[in-house]
Amino acid sequence: MALAIEPMLTIGSPETNELGDGWTVATEDGSLAAHWEHTVAVLADGPWVLTASDGGTGRSCGARGIALSAAAA
């Protein structure tokens, strides 16, 4: 299974609007926002962060004691 985790942090209102292009999302009040994504494969022996160049072994998971899949190494 693969999951896309896509948090968005806003300085102002958490309310958002999808723009006419059907892709772009903007804050309702026009405040600044940041968005990023990680795709995680959920394997039998643990997760593998596909979008992290180190597979998640560094700051994202490994430093927090999360046991990763052998594929992440």
Side-chain angles (χ1 to χ4, degrees):
M1 176 173 46
L3 303 170
I5 302 168
E6 303 183 44
M8 181 175 177
L9 299 177
T10 65
I11 290 178
S13 170
E15 302 302 318
T16 59
N17 291 316
E18 184 178 304
L19 301 186
D21 62 7
W23 183 262
T24 306
V25 175
T27 57
E28 193 171 276
D29 64 1
S31 63
L32 295 175
H35 170 262
W36 64 97
E37 175 183 336
H38 270 300
T39 302
V40 180
V42 180
L43 305 174
D45 64 339
W48 175 13
V49 184
L50 300 173
T51 49
S53 60
D54 64 0
T57 59
R59 293 184 333 163
S60 59
C61 294
R64 291 175 172 79
I66 298 169
L68 296 167
S69 168

